[in-house]
Amino acid sequence: MNRLLHSAALALLIGLWPASAQDAKPAKKAAKKAAPAANAGVAINENKATPLTRIKVMKDFKVELLHSVPAGEQGSWVNLCTDGKGRIIASDQYGGLFRFAPPAPGQPLNPATIEKIPAPIRAANGLLWMNNGLYVAVNDYENKIPSGLYRVTSSKDDDMLDKVELLREMNARGDHGVHAILPAPDGKSLFLITGNGTKPTAFASSKVPLVWGEDHVLPRMPDGRGFMRDVLGPGGIIYRVSLDGKSFEPYSSGYRNIFDAAINHDGELFTYDADMEYDFNTPWYRPTRVCLVTSGSEYGWRNGAGKRPEWYPDNLGPVLNIGPGSPTGMTFGYGAKFPAKYQEAMFCLDWSWGKLYAVHLKAEGSGYTATKEEFLSGAPMPLTDAIIHPKDGAMYFAIGGRKVQSGLYRVTYTGSESTAPAKPATDAVAAKARALRHSLEAFHGHADPQAVAAAWPHLISNDRYLRWAARTALEWQPAATWADKALSEKDGGKQVEALLALARITGIDPQHRKPTDPPVDTAMGAKLLAALEKIDWKSLNHDQRLGLVRTVEICLVRFGQPDEAIRQKLIAKLDPLFPAEDFQLNWVLCETLVALQSPNIAAKGMAALKNAPGQEEQMEYARSLRMLKTGWTTALRTEQFNWFLRAANYRGGASFEKFIEFIRTGAEESLSASEKTALAELLAKKPVKKSPLEALAEAFAGRTQVKEWKLDELAAAAEKSGLKGRNYANGRKMFGATACFACHRFGNEGGMTGPDLTTAGARYSPRDFIDQIINPSKEINEQFVPVVLTKTDGETVTGIIVNLGGDSVQVNTDLTDPNQRISVDRKQVVKMEPSKVSPMPEGLLNMLKEDEILDLVAYVLSGGDAKHAMFAK
């Protein structure tokens, strides 16, 4: 293999373990026939929870394994809570409840002290002790009892929990059903957490405006593997529930599969939502994320390719994107005998990647920003729930679920820092902003003559949560009382937000239309589009521009295509704006212009696709263009279908290939008869599967020289230039050409199998960043350290543990292919240890010229900001 091709292979193989680049099946390394040393690594034995030697925790914290749960008698534990006497109650995912007192410090849990609660209830996914009784959220996969909300008490008031009352039966299915239950800050109600597999239950009132829809301006593709493709919005719902369980009120919606939630000292609710791993490396993939749950909020889950990106104005974005995983438990560290930083932290548990994150919130406006650190991890470590014990101040957490080996652990602090109760930080400015938001949220759920005047000034707030609260307040008011005000508003920013609200409450998404709904008010649709067409684009900021185009889309969905005069005016307004300065605007402009069948978008869209550096951006343009029937030439159609031949070698989650197939099918259906004839040979051509080496070599075709770059050499060049006068477009091109997008998230693009580089500029100097690339094993990101599993026959498997089930461990050994994984029987694993070799290979920069490397460094360290001083000429 010549050195150019060798370097090209390395560049594409970011995330691969050291192995032959031409190995078509990189799942397993060569077997080591010698028996492992007796004291090397850790044996994984049947019926024993993950040993402490496989668990990493932050400095000065201690983990104890208290109990390995016997599967036959106690199942696999998924929930924990404490009762009024400080005893811990645990639930088996497929069985009943257990109760025990925590053992003394340094002592394991005596199995004889674990009592089986006699109450005839099972499959608890949520537990809450309140008012001398136990609320239980049941999600029964086996349908032996109804799923829903229950209350368990003692029939004789003798501490024996034996009486079960079903408060509300709910229709739920699979893992995405009825989950956590927790007390609201007022002490007079509860929050019930439900995933998108739970059908909405009956309610008399709602904080969420009852106008949700799919709102896809172009037909969105269902899940490629058929998963929940029949489920429409609103997705997962958080309900506010009365203590007697009779009154349910939707409080927030649009989630995928939230399992738990937590409330901070400010009385604000947070939840941790799941990703859809099938969608890895598609533009609509959304990482697991922490969300601030505000009144009437919507978080945009829709089926398949229909998920709304976090920057759409008709849903809110997360406080923090975490990455791939399976969110489970959440708790704040309040009451823990930990240092103040961790008393105030929000702890979020990930089941599949075995991570327990400490999330640190910072008040900003009426909301929050956040950072995370890995507090605890293990492999395998299927974390399910965690609590802070109110008496001993320790953290207790469980692993288990899906019938895997379960265990109970305790975390205590052993360092020298003070563990005295921390005083919550106060921020008067943020408190005032939250109070303002709450005053607007008071108008949610009902009509109030004061609402329009109170909300209107905040429609242009830079605070996204305030803006949301104001618009939601409008959406609860009769349209007749404020429609004229919206249509005649002179401030473009205010008008965009008001027209979005007006479109949502006066139009109906066809997929959610009921036979009893009134006919579409085409006159209102025409008024809305006419008003949007007249707004001065230059007067709007970036978010308002996104809002304008998105509101046009919602009008097209809910009121149908406008008359020809309005259609032409909209094309005349929007067509000159494409391409725009960023991918977000290009996303909505491209799909809207396709929906309007603009005659110019075929040429412009294909140019954008050709120039897009990453597969996600390319895929989004292709998705839109598949529905276009006008403006094509034979040359443009040839480019379009040649892209499908290239895309056959792109990699993503389990549904990725099906999505590419769906896009191509749609494009073929848009062809005219004459186009099908002209393109017959190309349409019949089958894609050629290429090795990673061959695929990347194409990106650097013609390169004949490669340099073995050294850190000091490149660092000196970066220091000498100060990274001034760099080329933004070329930096972005290099980021894509070297396959960085394949594994690394950057902004709202890229893979999730390597560290997120969005904020790299805040963490690294140019020298340090270059050092990370040239010497990747010098300091491996703790979240992406692969593990080496040694089996009983001496064979080793190296990769990331991504899923579990029973005794099966799923390992991804090729991070450029998120759908690739192998199954290992944990009973056959005798040793498991972290790899000392980074999944990111050396030699990544060896095919690039110096200016290309400096442009790449500037692009990453600027956060992808084309207006950064590094790119000033």
Side-chain angles (χ1 to χ4, degrees), residues 398-411:
I399 65 171
R402 293 189 182 176
K403 300 184 179 180
V404 303
Q405 176 60 53
S406 189
L408 179 72
Y409 300 78
R410 178 166 54 197
V411 181

Side-chain angles (χ1 to χ4, degrees), residues 466-748:
L466 273 180
R467 198 163 68 241
W468 184 278
R471 178 167 56 78
T472 302
L474 277 187
E475 291 179 354
W476 277 107
Q477 312 312 309
T481 64
W482 58 274
D484 288 344
K485 182 176 178 65
L487 292 167
S488 60
E489 171 62 52
K490 300 303 182 184
D491 184 300
K494 286 182 182 177
Q495 189 174 33
V496 164
E497 201 73 24
L499 295 179
L500 173 58
L502 190 58
R504 281 166 46 84
I505 69 171
T506 58
I508 301 174
D509 187 319
Q511 288 185 269
H512 287 264
R513 175 171 287 280
K514 300 184 291 292
T516 56
D517 287 331
V520 173
D521 185 355
T522 55
M524 176 58 76
K527 291 178 183 178
L528 283 162
L529 289 172
L532 289 163
E533 187 273 325
K534 292 176 182 177
I535 295 175
D536 179 13
W537 181 264
K538 294 181 179 179
S539 71
L540 305 178
N541 62 31
H542 183 267
D543 285 353
Q544 292 163 352
R545 290 175 176 181
L546 287 172
L548 186 151
V549 184
R550 179 60 181 153
T551 305
V552 170
E553 292 185 347
I554 291 173
C555 288
L556 296 178
V557 171
R558 296 191 173 215
F559 298 98
Q561 281 286 337
D563 64 33
E564 184 62 16
I566 293 178
R567 187 178 77 89
Q568 291 297 336
K569 286 183 178 180
L570 288 171
I571 291 173
K573 181 181 185 68
L574 299 178
D575 184 80
L577 305 176
F578 184 85
E581 63 268 23
D582 63 47
F583 179 38
Q584 294 177 5
L585 279 169
N586 281 334
W587 176 316
V588 290
L589 284 167
C590 185
E591 63 186 4
T592 304
L593 287 166
V594 169
L596 292 168
Q597 293 293 303
S598 168
N600 299 320
I601 193 59
K604 288 186 173 185
M606 287 306 304
L609 187 154
K610 182 179 180 180
N611 293 326
Q615 70 181 47
E616 293 180 50
E617 189 170 344
Q618 294 176 28
M619 197 172 181
E620 179 57 29
Y621 296 135
R623 180 201 64 80
S624 290
L625 291 169
R626 85 190 198 282
M627 303 305 299
L628 184 66
K629 296 184 177 181
T630 187
W632 292 101
T633 63
T634 300
L636 288 173
R637 284 295 198 187
T638 300
E639 285 185 31
Q640 182 186 28
F641 284 91
N642 273 325
W643 179 82
F644 290 110
L645 299 178
R646 295 196 305 274
N649 285 287
Y650 292 165
R651 299 181 179 186
S655 292
F656 188 86
E657 290 187 4
K658 292 299 295 183
F659 282 128
I660 294 293
E661 177 186 320
F662 290 163
I663 296 172
R664 174 166 180 146
T665 298
E668 290 181 355
E669 290 174 351
S670 73
L671 292 169
S672 65
S674 59
E675 287 175 323
K676 289 179 180 179
T677 300
L679 298 172
E681 184 176 348
L682 178 57
L683 293 175
K685 193 173 183 180
K686 301 298 182 183
V688 177
K689 290 289 186 179
K690 299 177 182 177
S691 69
L693 168 63
E694 295 168 328
L696 191 63
E698 288 186 358
F700 289 92
R703 291 285 172 98
T704 57
Q705 296 183 1
V706 173
K707 182 169 184 177
E708 298 284 347
W709 290 104
K710 304 299 182 184
L711 172 61
D712 288 344
E713 184 179 15
L714 289 176
E719 182 177 359
K720 180 179 179 181
S721 69
L723 293 180
K724 301 295 183 183
R726 303 318 315 167
N727 186 313
Y728 171 85
N730 193 52
R732 180 168 167 79
K733 179 181 178 182
M734 291 300 104
F735 194 82
T738 54
C740 297
F741 276 121
C743 295
H744 295 284
R745 198 75 173 170
F746 196 69
N748 287 309

Side-chain angles (χ1 to χ4, degrees), residues 794-805:
E795 184 181 39
T796 61
V797 177
T798 304
I800 297 290
I801 294 176
V802 295
N803 215 331
L804 304 101

Side-chain angles (χ1 to χ4, degrees), residues 6 16 21 38 51 86 98 191 194 215 248 266 268 297 370 439 445 464 483 640 681 716 762 765 817 825 835 846 873:
H6 178 67
L16 287 180
F98 302 87
F191 284 116
T194 67
D215 289 321
F248 273 60
D266 299 325
E268 300 288 347
S297 52
S439 72
R464 190 173 182 183
Q640 182 186 28
E681 184 176 348
S765 66
D817 186 0
D825 185 344
S835 173
N846 289 350
K873 299 298 183 181

Side-chain angles (χ1 to χ4, degrees), residues 277-290:
E277 68 275 15
Y278 291 179
D279 294 349
F280 280 159
N281 293 4
T282 68
W284 49 86
Y285 170 71
R286 306 191 310 180
T288 66
R289 55 209 195 132
V290 174

Side-chain angles (χ1 to χ4, degrees), residues 101-164:
Q107 298 298 313
L109 179 62
N110 182 350
T113 66
I114 302 174
E115 62 172 308
K116 177 78 162 60
I117 292 176
I121 194 166
R122 66 188 308 276
N125 273 215
L127 300 173
L128 170 65
W129 184 268
M130 188 175 182
N131 296 339
N132 202 35
L134 183 68
Y135 286 96
V136 181
V138 168
N139 189 62
D140 193 354
Y141 304 76
E142 298 173 335
N143 297 315
K144 293 182 178 179
I145 66 172
S147 294
L149 181 62
Y150 291 76
R151 183 166 167 81
V152 179
T153 55
S154 173
S155 63
K156 299 178 181 179
D157 197 25
D158 60 358
D159 197 40
M160 185 66 69
L161 294 174
D162 59 353
K163 179 182 177 182
V164 176

